[in-house]
Structures are given as structure tokens and as C-alpha cells.
Amino acid sequence: MTAIPEIPGVVTADQIRATGAAIAGMQEESGALPWFPGGQTDPWDHIESAMALSVTGFHAEAEAAYEWSRRKQRHDGSWPIRTVCGTVEDAGTDSNFCAYIAVGVWHHYLITADDAFLQRMWPVVWSAIDCVLRFQRPDGAFRWGGDHRTGAMFGEALITGNSSIFQALDCAIRIAAEVDQPDEDWIAAHAKLGAAIRADIERDEWEIFTPPSEHSMDWYYPILGGAVRGKVGQELIARRWDEFVVPGKGVRCVDHRPWVTGAETCELALALDSLGDTADAIELIASIQHLRDPDGSYWTGLVFADGKRWPVEKSCWTSAAVVLAADAVSRTSVANGIFRDVRQSLVVTPRDEEPATVL
């Protein structure tokens, strides 16, 4: 039996299980996990939804999702940015989207301890990370994407995507060590990226990455991805807290709009939990329970100025974010620390030794 997360006074285990069932109910026969039935599937949100299935005990459905990723991976290790009902609608490559497979595979392996699954997915992870590393610039930052047909890369390095890649590289390094195939190039890439993110954050000047936008993700993702923690992380959160957090309602997606979203709220909760602010994280998760539907799924967001849900959709990835946040703050699954336990830096060691954490 799988232990299901619960947060007393906020969501019960039965409710979280129902959210997992709602996610499974949106899964296509191919294994794809679209934003909503009939909607688009992107490689990143697909994996996030699969992670929520693993947490809620829908292991067969989660493995069907990873099998979809295995089958749909292109020869260069990438996936199309957007697929709708099996048809590719955007064939471009997003480096962050491709990297996230490592987070999902490590997460599912931690929960299931299934060696056969890890061995089956290892070539997928290796190919994906090999692809992603081609996007790294000399300054350590990763270009956000490129044209799959021509191989041309877009030069811009986005802080949200790079922060997520940082976590993905950490998970990929753990997987490589587990299958006894450590890669020093991955460790070096992880170190250069972390140093680049921290350099811009600590001086509060954007010389390496594109300056943060009006979206809240650019604010908290350096913490969520694990590159920034401790006092620097606390100070970063304090800088824009009042711009984005609406007490009792959630977190704004965009700083100047009266629109709170469930996914951003739960991701901020995960970031706070990684800083040790678990009580505040729980309060945030509680604040967006107004988005919960009776079937267990969650509406994407609410325009609190007029009380209308927008967009009018119950998104798979919003439900997934709630599950992952509940798991983190409740310390339930074996993988509950997937965000909290990201290592900031690693020691480059001989290939026959597992990388050690620098304290």
C-alpha cells in the first residue's frame, strides 16, 4: 500500500488520492499527460504530472507516461515543445523541457526502487542530458531552446528554465552514479550553472541571465531549483513577497494582475519548504484550496478581482503541483525531498566513485 500525503486541516489523504485519480483520468491512451483532455502535451508538465501519479500510488499510469517519453524521444535526445493528441504542433526544442526527464525518472525510482525501470530509462536520460549540455554557454548559462530542423540555438538564457535545469542535472548525476556510469562533464556543467545563477542573484544584477520578468516564476525558481538556499534565498523571497503573495488567495502569476494560480502557489510553497519555512508553505497550500473541484482536480487560477476562474480549465499540472507540495510538507513519500535535497555543488571525483556533496 502506498502512503498518501495529507495536510491536517488542509487536505486529507483521500482527497489527495482523488487528485491523483483525476490526473490519471486525463491520461491519453498513448500515456501522454496533456494539460487537460484534448489539450497540448509538453515534455515538462507531462513529467510533473507523472511524478504526482507516482506519489499517489498510480505507478502503472506513471510508468505509461515515462514509456511515452521513451517512445517519443527524438534521435538527438530531445522532444517537441508541443504535441496535441499525438500531432506535433511545435517541433522546436526547449532545453529545460528536455532536462526534466531526469527529475521524473529519479523521483519514480526513489518511490518504487525498481531497478528494471531505471535501467530502461537510463539511455533516455543520458541522451536527453547529452542534448541539453549542447545548449550551455561558456558563462555556464543554458540557452533556452533552438530550431530542431536547423540546429540553430536561441542565445537567450532564462532564469526559470536554468534553475530547473540545475535540479535536473543534480538528479541526472544521481542516476548516473546509481547505474555506475558517472559523468564528470555533467558535474562540471552543474557547477558552472550554479555559480552563474548565484552570481547574478547575489549581486542583484543581471549580467548573465535575461532580467526577471513580471512572472512570479522568475522570482522563486532559483530557490525551487536548488541553486540558491539559506540567507540568500530568504532575502530573495523577501524582495518581492508583497508583489506576488495575496494573503488567503494564493500567488499571482503576473505581478500586476489580480490573478492567482494554483501551480505557482504550490511551487512557491515547495521553495519555502526547501528554505525550512514549512509553516508558511502549508499556509500557501491552504490558500488555494478554493481552486479544488469536487472531482479532486484543481482549476488553473482565479481572477480575484471578479471571482472568476481563468482560464476555464482544470489543468493536469496544477493538480500535480498540489500533490507534490503536499508530499513535500508532509514528508510522506520516499521522494518527498526531491526539491528540498538538491545539492548546490559537487566534488569532481574519479569515475569509479560516487560524487560527494560539498558541505
Side-chain angles (χ1 to χ4, degrees), residues 49-97:
S49 297
M51 291 166 68
L53 291 175
S54 299
V55 169
T56 50
F58 292 91
H59 295 169
E61 291 82 355
E63 290 176 15
Y66 289 112
E67 178 61 19
W68 181 89
S69 296
R70 190 190 67 78
R71 292 197 317 272
K72 297 299 181 180
Q73 188 176 37
R74 297 184 291 206
H75 292 302
D76 67 351
S78 70
W79 289 269
I81 287 175
R82 183 170 64 251
T83 302
V84 180
C85 297
T87 300
V88 174
E89 292 200 349
D90 186 341
T93 299
D94 183 307
S95 57
N96 171 39
F97 282 11

mmCIF file of all heavy atoms in Angstrom, residues 49-97:
data_model
loop_
_atom_site.group_PDB
_atom_site.id
_atom_site.type_symbol
_atom_site.label_atom_id
_atom_site.label_comp_id
_atom_site.label_asym_id
_atom_site.label_seq_id
_atom_site.Cartn_x
_atom_site.Cartn_y
_atom_site.Cartn_z
ATOM 1 N N SER A 49 3.303 15.786 -14.003
ATOM 2 C CA SER A 49 2.063 15.043 -13.752
ATOM 3 C C SER A 49 2.368 13.581 -13.453
ATOM 4 O O SER A 49 1.718 12.967 -12.589
ATOM 5 C CB SER A 49 1.126 15.172 -14.952
ATOM 6 O OG SER A 49 0.739 16.521 -15.146
ATOM 7 N N ALA A 50 3.352 13.016 -14.147
ATOM 8 C CA ALA A 50 3.752 11.631 -13.867
ATOM 9 C C ALA A 50 4.280 11.495 -12.442
ATOM 10 O O ALA A 50 4.018 10.490 -11.760
ATOM 11 C CB ALA A 50 4.804 11.183 -14.875
ATOM 12 N N MET A 51 5.012 12.484 -11.972
ATOM 13 C CA MET A 51 5.524 12.463 -10.604
ATOM 14 C C MET A 51 4.389 12.422 -9.590
ATOM 15 O O MET A 51 4.452 11.689 -8.586
ATOM 16 C CB MET A 51 6.419 13.672 -10.369
ATOM 17 C CG MET A 51 7.728 13.625 -11.144
ATOM 18 S SD MET A 51 8.613 15.221 -11.200
ATOM 19 C CE MET A 51 9.081 15.402 -9.476
ATOM 20 N N ALA A 52 3.332 13.177 -9.857
ATOM 21 C CA ALA A 52 2.178 13.160 -8.949
ATOM 22 C C ALA A 52 1.502 11.796 -8.958
ATOM 23 O O ALA A 52 1.005 11.330 -7.920
ATOM 24 C CB ALA A 52 1.190 14.246 -9.348
ATOM 25 N N LEU A 53 1.477 11.137 -10.108
ATOM 26 C CA LEU A 53 0.914 9.787 -10.172
ATOM 27 C C LEU A 53 1.735 8.826 -9.318
ATOM 28 O O LEU A 53 1.188 7.965 -8.620
ATOM 29 C CB LEU A 53 0.875 9.307 -11.624
ATOM 30 C CG LEU A 53 -0.122 10.003 -12.550
ATOM 31 C CD1 LEU A 53 0.047 9.499 -13.986
ATOM 32 C CD2 LEU A 53 -1.563 9.767 -12.084
ATOM 33 N N SER A 54 3.052 8.955 -9.350
ATOM 34 C CA SER A 54 3.908 8.095 -8.527
ATOM 35 C C SER A 54 3.610 8.287 -7.048
ATOM 36 O O SER A 54 3.526 7.322 -6.290
ATOM 37 C CB SER A 54 5.387 8.404 -8.803
ATOM 38 O OG SER A 54 5.731 8.174 -10.158
ATOM 39 N N VAL A 55 3.449 9.541 -6.623
ATOM 40 C CA VAL A 55 3.198 9.853 -5.220
ATOM 41 C C VAL A 55 1.869 9.286 -4.749
ATOM 42 O O VAL A 55 1.750 8.813 -3.602
ATOM 43 C CB VAL A 55 3.233 11.381 -4.993
ATOM 44 C CG1 VAL A 55 2.713 11.751 -3.599
ATOM 45 C CG2 VAL A 55 4.651 11.916 -5.175
ATOM 46 N N THR A 56 0.856 9.309 -5.612
ATOM 47 C CA THR A 56 -0.489 8.894 -5.209
ATOM 48 C C THR A 56 -0.767 7.415 -5.472
ATOM 49 O O THR A 56 -1.901 6.967 -5.332
ATOM 50 C CB THR A 56 -1.543 9.757 -5.916
ATOM 51 O OG1 THR A 56 -1.283 9.798 -7.326
ATOM 52 C CG2 THR A 56 -1.527 11.184 -5.362
ATOM 53 N N GLY A 57 0.259 6.656 -5.824
ATOM 54 C CA GLY A 57 0.103 5.217 -5.954
ATOM 55 C C GLY A 57 -0.311 4.720 -7.325
ATOM 56 O O GLY A 57 -0.507 3.511 -7.517
ATOM 57 N N PHE A 58 -0.413 5.601 -8.306
ATOM 58 C CA PHE A 58 -0.767 5.194 -9.668
ATOM 59 C C PHE A 58 0.511 4.889 -10.444
ATOM 60 O O PHE A 58 0.853 5.562 -11.418
ATOM 61 C CB PHE A 58 -1.588 6.298 -10.340
ATOM 62 C CG PHE A 58 -2.953 6.495 -9.743
ATOM 63 C CD1 PHE A 58 -3.146 7.406 -8.717
ATOM 64 C CD2 PHE A 58 -4.043 5.753 -10.186
ATOM 65 C CE1 PHE A 58 -4.401 7.589 -8.143
ATOM 66 C CE2 PHE A 58 -5.298 5.920 -9.622
ATOM 67 C CZ PHE A 58 -5.479 6.842 -8.601
ATOM 68 N N HIS A 59 1.200 3.851 -10.003
ATOM 69 C CA HIS A 59 2.514 3.560 -10.553
ATOM 70 C C HIS A 59 2.451 3.073 -11.995
ATOM 71 O O HIS A 59 3.324 3.425 -12.814
ATOM 72 C CB HIS A 59 3.231 2.534 -9.678
ATOM 73 C CG HIS A 59 3.533 3.042 -8.307
ATOM 74 N ND1 HIS A 59 3.967 2.232 -7.276
ATOM 75 C CD2 HIS A 59 3.456 4.296 -7.775
ATOM 76 C CE1 HIS A 59 4.148 2.947 -6.184
ATOM 77 N NE2 HIS A 59 3.842 4.206 -6.460
ATOM 78 N N ALA A 60 1.470 2.276 -12.338
ATOM 79 C CA ALA A 60 1.356 1.796 -13.717
ATOM 80 C C ALA A 60 1.109 2.960 -14.659
ATOM 81 O O ALA A 60 1.680 3.021 -15.763
ATOM 82 C CB ALA A 60 0.232 0.765 -13.826
ATOM 83 N N GLU A 61 0.272 3.894 -14.239
ATOM 84 C CA GLU A 61 -0.015 5.061 -15.071
ATOM 85 C C GLU A 61 1.224 5.950 -15.199
ATOM 86 O O GLU A 61 1.498 6.505 -16.269
ATOM 87 C CB GLU A 61 -1.181 5.854 -14.480
ATOM 88 C CG GLU A 61 -2.525 5.157 -14.574
ATOM 89 C CD GLU A 61 -2.780 4.138 -13.473
ATOM 90 O OE1 GLU A 61 -1.861 3.887 -12.656
ATOM 91 O OE2 GLU A 61 -3.891 3.587 -13.424
ATOM 92 N N ALA A 62 1.975 6.081 -14.111
ATOM 93 C CA ALA A 62 3.211 6.862 -14.167
ATOM 94 C C ALA A 62 4.198 6.223 -15.138
ATOM 95 O O ALA A 62 4.824 6.910 -15.961
ATOM 96 C CB ALA A 62 3.832 6.971 -12.778
ATOM 97 N N GLU A 63 4.324 4.907 -15.069
ATOM 98 C CA GLU A 63 5.265 4.229 -15.957
ATOM 99 C C GLU A 63 4.812 4.296 -17.405
ATOM 100 O O GLU A 63 5.646 4.348 -18.329
ATOM 101 C CB GLU A 63 5.476 2.797 -15.485
ATOM 102 C CG GLU A 63 6.270 2.760 -14.180
ATOM 103 C CD GLU A 63 6.437 1.372 -13.596
ATOM 104 O OE1 GLU A 63 6.184 0.392 -14.316
ATOM 105 O OE2 GLU A 63 6.819 1.281 -12.411
ATOM 106 N N ALA A 64 3.499 4.337 -17.640
ATOM 107 C CA ALA A 64 2.994 4.546 -19.003
ATOM 108 C C ALA A 64 3.401 5.922 -19.514
ATOM 109 O O ALA A 64 3.715 6.100 -20.702
ATOM 110 C CB ALA A 64 1.476 4.393 -19.034
ATOM 111 N N ALA A 65 3.414 6.900 -18.619
ATOM 112 C CA ALA A 65 3.850 8.245 -19.001
ATOM 113 C C ALA A 65 5.335 8.252 -19.350
ATOM 114 O O ALA A 65 5.751 8.868 -20.346
ATOM 115 C CB ALA A 65 3.568 9.225 -17.870
ATOM 116 N N TYR A 66 6.150 7.570 -18.552
ATOM 117 C CA TYR A 66 7.577 7.522 -18.861
ATOM 118 C C TYR A 66 7.840 6.714 -20.137
ATOM 119 O O TYR A 66 8.765 7.030 -20.900
ATOM 120 C CB TYR A 66 8.355 6.948 -17.671
ATOM 121 C CG TYR A 66 8.393 7.910 -16.517
ATOM 122 C CD1 TYR A 66 7.714 7.645 -15.326
ATOM 123 C CD2 TYR A 66 9.086 9.108 -16.614
ATOM 124 C CE1 TYR A 66 7.729 8.542 -14.266
ATOM 125 C CE2 TYR A 66 9.101 10.018 -15.563
ATOM 126 C CZ TYR A 66 8.417 9.731 -14.399
ATOM 127 O OH TYR A 66 8.425 10.637 -13.367
ATOM 128 N N GLU A 67 7.024 5.715 -20.370
ATOM 129 C CA GLU A 67 7.157 4.953 -21.613
ATOM 130 C C GLU A 67 6.834 5.847 -22.809
ATOM 131 O O GLU A 67 7.467 5.740 -23.864
ATOM 132 C CB GLU A 67 6.239 3.735 -21.582
ATOM 133 C CG GLU A 67 6.254 2.883 -22.843
ATOM 134 C CD GLU A 67 7.614 2.285 -23.167
ATOM 135 O OE1 GLU A 67 8.486 2.209 -22.256
ATOM 136 O OE2 GLU A 67 7.824 1.898 -24.328
ATOM 137 N N TRP A 68 5.844 6.733 -22.663
ATOM 138 C CA TRP A 68 5.536 7.704 -23.725
ATOM 139 C C TRP A 68 6.770 8.554 -23.999
ATOM 140 O O TRP A 68 7.137 8.786 -25.162
ATOM 141 C CB TRP A 68 4.367 8.591 -23.304
ATOM 142 C CG TRP A 68 3.965 9.610 -24.337
ATOM 143 C CD1 TRP A 68 3.061 9.460 -25.344
ATOM 144 C CD2 TRP A 68 4.459 10.965 -24.439
ATOM 145 N NE1 TRP A 68 2.958 10.619 -26.079
ATOM 146 C CE2 TRP A 68 3.802 11.557 -25.546
ATOM 147 C CE3 TRP A 68 5.380 11.716 -23.718
ATOM 148 C CZ2 TRP A 68 4.051 12.883 -25.940
ATOM 149 C CZ3 TRP A 68 5.637 13.026 -24.112
ATOM 150 C CH2 TRP A 68 4.970 13.589 -25.207
ATOM 151 N N SER A 69 7.425 9.028 -22.942
ATOM 152 C CA SER A 69 8.634 9.831 -23.114
ATOM 153 C C SER A 69 9.724 9.029 -23.815
ATOM 154 O O SER A 69 10.429 9.549 -24.688
ATOM 155 C CB SER A 69 9.137 10.333 -21.759
ATOM 156 O OG SER A 69 8.216 11.215 -21.156
ATOM 157 N N ARG A 70 9.862 7.771 -23.444
ATOM 158 C CA ARG A 70 10.885 6.929 -24.082
ATOM 159 C C ARG A 70 10.609 6.767 -25.567
ATOM 160 O O ARG A 70 11.516 6.892 -26.404
ATOM 161 C CB ARG A 70 10.948 5.562 -23.398
ATOM 162 C CG ARG A 70 12.143 4.708 -23.817
ATOM 163 C CD ARG A 70 12.028 3.283 -23.298
ATOM 164 N NE ARG A 70 10.929 2.572 -23.934
ATOM 165 C CZ ARG A 70 10.981 2.050 -25.151
ATOM 166 N NH1 ARG A 70 12.089 2.157 -25.882
ATOM 167 N NH2 ARG A 70 9.943 1.410 -25.653
ATOM 168 N N ARG A 71 9.352 6.499 -25.911
ATOM 169 C CA ARG A 71 8.996 6.278 -27.320
ATOM 170 C C ARG A 71 9.087 7.551 -28.156
ATOM 171 O O ARG A 71 9.455 7.495 -29.335
ATOM 172 C CB ARG A 71 7.575 5.726 -27.439
ATOM 173 C CG ARG A 71 7.366 4.337 -26.910
ATOM 174 C CD ARG A 71 6.056 3.752 -27.442
ATOM 175 N NE ARG A 71 4.964 4.717 -27.408
ATOM 176 C CZ ARG A 71 4.146 4.921 -26.375
ATOM 177 N NH1 ARG A 71 4.340 4.214 -25.258
ATOM 178 N NH2 ARG A 71 3.165 5.796 -26.430
ATOM 179 N N LYS A 72 8.738 8.678 -27.569
ATOM 180 C CA LYS A 72 8.645 9.920 -28.336
ATOM 181 C C LYS A 72 9.951 10.712 -28.373
ATOM 182 O O LYS A 72 10.032 11.732 -29.064
ATOM 183 C CB LYS A 72 7.536 10.808 -27.751
ATOM 184 C CG LYS A 72 6.143 10.187 -27.844
ATOM 185 C CD LYS A 72 5.739 9.922 -29.289
ATOM 186 C CE LYS A 72 4.346 9.330 -29.379
ATOM 187 N NZ LYS A 72 3.944 9.063 -30.786
ATOM 188 N N GLN A 73 10.966 10.254 -27.664
ATOM 189 C CA GLN A 73 12.240 10.966 -27.703
ATOM 190 C C GLN A 73 12.835 10.907 -29.101
ATOM 191 O O GLN A 73 12.849 9.847 -29.743
ATOM 192 C CB GLN A 73 13.218 10.363 -26.699
ATOM 193 C CG GLN A 73 14.505 11.161 -26.536
ATOM 194 C CD GLN A 73 15.398 10.570 -25.465
ATOM 195 O OE1 GLN A 73 15.492 9.348 -25.310
ATOM 196 N NE2 GLN A 73 16.083 11.432 -24.702
ATOM 197 N N ARG A 74 13.332 12.028 -29.569
ATOM 198 C CA ARG A 74 13.920 12.070 -30.900
ATOM 199 C C ARG A 74 15.370 11.595 -30.859
ATOM 200 O O ARG A 74 15.957 11.434 -29.791
ATOM 201 C CB ARG A 74 13.810 13.501 -31.464
ATOM 202 C CG ARG A 74 12.359 13.922 -31.632
ATOM 203 C CD ARG A 74 12.180 15.277 -32.267
ATOM 204 N NE ARG A 74 12.608 16.397 -31.440
ATOM 205 C CZ ARG A 74 12.117 17.630 -31.538
ATOM 206 N NH1 ARG A 74 11.157 17.889 -32.442
ATOM 207 N NH2 ARG A 74 12.572 18.607 -30.764
ATOM 208 N N HIS A 75 15.940 11.359 -32.037
ATOM 209 C CA HIS A 75 17.286 10.782 -32.114
ATOM 210 C C HIS A 75 18.341 11.659 -31.453
ATOM 211 O O HIS A 75 19.374 11.155 -30.992
ATOM 212 C CB HIS A 75 17.667 10.526 -33.575
ATOM 213 C CG HIS A 75 16.859 9.440 -34.222
ATOM 214 N ND1 HIS A 75 16.803 8.160 -33.726
ATOM 215 C CD2 HIS A 75 16.056 9.457 -35.322
ATOM 216 C CE1 HIS A 75 16.011 7.416 -34.489
ATOM 217 N NE2 HIS A 75 15.541 8.182 -35.459
ATOM 218 N N ASP A 76 18.091 12.973 -31.390
ATOM 219 C CA ASP A 76 19.084 13.858 -30.772
ATOM 220 C C ASP A 76 18.885 13.997 -29.265
ATOM 221 O O ASP A 76 19.584 14.770 -28.608
ATOM 222 C CB ASP A 76 19.060 15.238 -31.437
ATOM 223 C CG ASP A 76 17.766 16.003 -31.180
ATOM 224 O OD1 ASP A 76 16.810 15.418 -30.629
ATOM 225 O OD2 ASP A 76 17.699 17.197 -31.536
ATOM 226 N N GLY A 77 17.919 13.253 -28.694
ATOM 227 C CA GLY A 77 17.681 13.283 -27.258
ATOM 228 C C GLY A 77 16.597 14.239 -26.822
ATOM 229 O O GLY A 77 16.285 14.315 -25.627
ATOM 230 N N SER A 78 15.999 14.967 -27.758
ATOM 231 C CA SER A 78 15.011 15.990 -27.427
ATOM 232 C C SER A 78 13.581 15.498 -27.634
ATOM 233 O O SER A 78 13.345 14.385 -28.128
ATOM 234 C CB SER A 78 15.240 17.232 -28.287
ATOM 235 O OG SER A 78 14.895 16.971 -29.648
ATOM 236 N N TRP A 79 12.644 16.352 -27.251
ATOM 237 C CA TRP A 79 11.218 16.142 -27.518
ATOM 238 C C TRP A 79 10.645 17.426 -28.120
ATOM 239 O O TRP A 79 11.145 18.527 -27.833
ATOM 240 C CB TRP A 79 10.453 15.845 -26.220
ATOM 241 C CG TRP A 79 10.718 14.520 -25.632
ATOM 242 C CD1 TRP A 79 10.032 13.355 -25.867
ATOM 243 C CD2 TRP A 79 11.730 14.183 -24.678
ATOM 244 N NE1 TRP A 79 10.565 12.324 -25.119
ATOM 245 C CE2 TRP A 79 11.611 12.803 -24.382
ATOM 246 C CE3 TRP A 79 12.743 14.923 -24.051
ATOM 247 C CZ2 TRP A 79 12.454 12.152 -23.499
ATOM 248 C CZ3 TRP A 79 13.585 14.279 -23.173
ATOM 249 C CH2 TRP A 79 13.445 12.913 -22.898
ATOM 250 N N PRO A 80 9.586 17.333 -28.908
ATOM 251 C CA PRO A 80 8.925 18.544 -29.410
ATOM 252 C C PRO A 80 8.353 19.358 -28.252
ATOM 253 O O PRO A 80 7.921 18.804 -27.235
ATOM 254 C CB PRO A 80 7.802 18.006 -30.298
ATOM 255 C CG PRO A 80 8.185 16.603 -30.617
ATOM 256 C CD PRO A 80 8.957 16.111 -29.424
ATOM 257 N N ILE A 81 8.321 20.659 -28.421
ATOM 258 C CA ILE A 81 7.789 21.535 -27.386
ATOM 259 C C ILE A 81 6.309 21.283 -27.149
ATOM 260 O O ILE A 81 5.848 21.291 -26.006
ATOM 261 C CB ILE A 81 8.029 23.011 -27.768
ATOM 262 C CG1 ILE A 81 9.521 23.347 -27.609
ATOM 263 C CG2 ILE A 81 7.173 23.959 -26.932
ATOM 264 C CD1 ILE A 81 9.895 24.748 -28.065
ATOM 265 N N ARG A 82 5.562 21.040 -28.210
ATOM 266 C CA ARG A 82 4.113 20.890 -28.040
ATOM 267 C C ARG A 82 3.560 19.826 -28.973
ATOM 268 O O ARG A 82 3.802 19.844 -30.172
ATOM 269 C CB ARG A 82 3.391 22.217 -28.295
ATOM 270 C CG ARG A 82 1.888 22.147 -28.063
ATOM 271 C CD ARG A 82 1.218 23.521 -28.091
ATOM 272 N NE ARG A 82 1.319 24.176 -29.387
ATOM 273 C CZ ARG A 82 2.073 25.227 -29.651
ATOM 274 N NH1 ARG A 82 2.849 25.740 -28.693
ATOM 275 N NH2 ARG A 82 2.111 25.771 -30.854
ATOM 276 N N THR A 83 2.800 18.889 -28.374
ATOM 277 C CA THR A 83 2.094 17.839 -29.110
ATOM 278 C C THR A 83 0.637 17.871 -28.686
ATOM 279 O O THR A 83 0.333 17.994 -27.491
ATOM 280 C CB THR A 83 2.694 16.455 -28.797
ATOM 281 O OG1 THR A 83 4.087 16.453 -29.124
ATOM 282 C CG2 THR A 83 1.989 15.359 -29.583
ATOM 283 N N VAL A 84 -0.274 17.778 -29.635
ATOM 284 C CA VAL A 84 -1.709 17.772 -29.330
ATOM 285 C C VAL A 84 -2.336 16.513 -29.906
ATOM 286 O O VAL A 84 -2.340 16.310 -31.118
ATOM 287 C CB VAL A 84 -2.413 19.020 -29.888
ATOM 288 C CG1 VAL A 84 -3.910 18.978 -29.557
ATOM 289 C CG2 VAL A 84 -1.798 20.299 -29.321
ATOM 290 N N CYS A 85 -2.826 15.661 -29.023
ATOM 291 C CA CYS A 85 -3.484 14.409 -29.427
ATOM 292 C C CYS A 85 -2.634 13.631 -30.427
ATOM 293 O O CYS A 85 -3.137 13.102 -31.426
ATOM 294 C CB CYS A 85 -4.866 14.703 -30.010
ATOM 295 S SG CYS A 85 -6.003 15.461 -28.822
ATOM 296 N N GLY A 86 -1.336 13.565 -30.151
ATOM 297 C CA GLY A 86 -0.430 12.781 -30.974
ATOM 298 C C GLY A 86 0.176 13.513 -32.152
ATOM 299 O O GLY A 86 1.054 12.972 -32.832
ATOM 300 N N THR A 87 -0.265 14.735 -32.432
ATOM 301 C CA THR A 87 0.256 15.507 -33.553
ATOM 302 C C THR A 87 1.193 16.603 -33.053
ATOM 303 O O THR A 87 0.823 17.390 -32.177
ATOM 304 C CB THR A 87 -0.887 16.158 -34.347
ATOM 305 O OG1 THR A 87 -1.742 15.124 -34.853
ATOM 306 C CG2 THR A 87 -0.351 16.978 -35.503
ATOM 307 N N VAL A 88 2.392 16.643 -33.596
ATOM 308 C CA VAL A 88 3.363 17.664 -33.193
ATOM 309 C C VAL A 88 2.934 19.012 -33.751
ATOM 310 O O VAL A 88 2.780 19.166 -34.965
ATOM 311 C CB VAL A 88 4.776 17.308 -33.683
ATOM 312 C CG1 VAL A 88 5.751 18.451 -33.384
ATOM 313 C CG2 VAL A 88 5.257 16.020 -33.026
ATOM 314 N N GLU A 89 2.755 19.981 -32.868
ATOM 315 C CA GLU A 89 2.364 21.321 -33.290
ATOM 316 C C GLU A 89 3.485 22.337 -33.136
ATOM 317 O O GLU A 89 3.410 23.420 -33.712
ATOM 318 C CB GLU A 89 1.119 21.777 -32.528
ATOM 319 C CG GLU A 89 -0.132 20.987 -32.896
ATOM 320 C CD GLU A 89 -1.414 21.716 -32.543
ATOM 321 O OE1 GLU A 89 -1.350 22.736 -31.820
ATOM 322 O OE2 GLU A 89 -2.482 21.263 -32.996
ATOM 323 N N ASP A 90 4.495 22.014 -32.366
ATOM 324 C CA ASP A 90 5.696 22.847 -32.271
ATOM 325 C C ASP A 90 6.873 21.905 -32.136
ATOM 326 O O ASP A 90 7.075 21.279 -31.090
ATOM 327 C CB ASP A 90 5.617 23.797 -31.079
ATOM 328 C CG ASP A 90 6.785 24.784 -31.022
ATOM 329 O OD1 ASP A 90 7.818 24.518 -31.655
ATOM 330 O OD2 ASP A 90 6.655 25.822 -30.333
ATOM 331 N N ALA A 91 7.657 21.790 -33.200
ATOM 332 C CA ALA A 91 8.762 20.835 -33.236
ATOM 333 C C ALA A 91 10.041 21.381 -32.625
ATOM 334 O O ALA A 91 11.064 20.698 -32.607
ATOM 335 C CB ALA A 91 9.027 20.401 -34.678
ATOM 336 N N GLY A 92 9.997 22.593 -32.106
ATOM 337 C CA GLY A 92 11.186 23.188 -31.516
ATOM 338 C C GLY A 92 11.680 22.435 -30.296
ATOM 339 O O GLY A 92 11.007 21.542 -29.770
ATOM 340 N N THR A 93 12.862 22.791 -29.842
ATOM 341 C CA THR A 93 13.481 22.162 -28.670
ATOM 342 C C THR A 93 13.634 23.183 -27.565
ATOM 343 O O THR A 93 14.143 24.282 -27.791
ATOM 344 C CB THR A 93 14.865 21.592 -29.028
ATOM 345 O OG1 THR A 93 14.723 20.602 -30.049
ATOM 346 C CG2 THR A 93 15.529 20.969 -27.803
ATOM 347 N N ASP A 94 13.176 22.837 -26.372
ATOM 348 C CA ASP A 94 13.360 23.659 -25.174
ATOM 349 C C ASP A 94 14.303 22.896 -24.252
ATOM 350 O O ASP A 94 14.001 21.766 -23.839
ATOM 351 C CB ASP A 94 12.003 23.903 -24.497
ATOM 352 C CG ASP A 94 12.083 24.803 -23.280
ATOM 353 O OD1 ASP A 94 12.891 24.514 -22.372
ATOM 354 O OD2 ASP A 94 11.317 25.779 -23.202
ATOM 355 N N SER A 95 15.455 23.477 -23.938
ATOM 356 C CA SER A 95 16.463 22.756 -23.159
ATOM 357 C C SER A 95 15.944 22.340 -21.787
ATOM 358 O O SER A 95 16.223 21.225 -21.319
ATOM 359 C CB SER A 95 17.726 23.605 -23.023
ATOM 360 O OG SER A 95 17.445 24.864 -22.423
ATOM 361 N N ASN A 96 15.185 23.201 -21.137
ATOM 362 C CA ASN A 96 14.634 22.872 -19.823
ATOM 363 C C ASN A 96 13.621 21.741 -19.929
ATOM 364 O O ASN A 96 13.614 20.821 -19.101
ATOM 365 C CB ASN A 96 13.984 24.124 -19.216
ATOM 366 C CG ASN A 96 13.201 23.833 -17.963
ATOM 367 O OD1 ASN A 96 13.595 23.029 -17.132
ATOM 368 N ND2 ASN A 96 12.059 24.490 -17.818
ATOM 369 N N PHE A 97 12.756 21.793 -20.923
ATOM 370 C CA PHE A 97 11.770 20.728 -21.116
ATOM 371 C C PHE A 97 12.455 19.374 -21.242
ATOM 372 O O PHE A 97 11.988 18.365 -20.701
ATOM 373 C CB PHE A 97 10.951 20.988 -22.377
ATOM 374 C CG PHE A 97 9.864 22.026 -22.228
ATOM 375 C CD1 PHE A 97 9.786 22.830 -21.108
ATOM 376 C CD2 PHE A 97 8.910 22.195 -23.225
ATOM 377 C CE1 PHE A 97 8.779 23.780 -20.977
ATOM 378 C CE2 PHE A 97 7.901 23.133 -23.101
ATOM 379 C CZ PHE A 97 7.831 23.929 -21.976
#
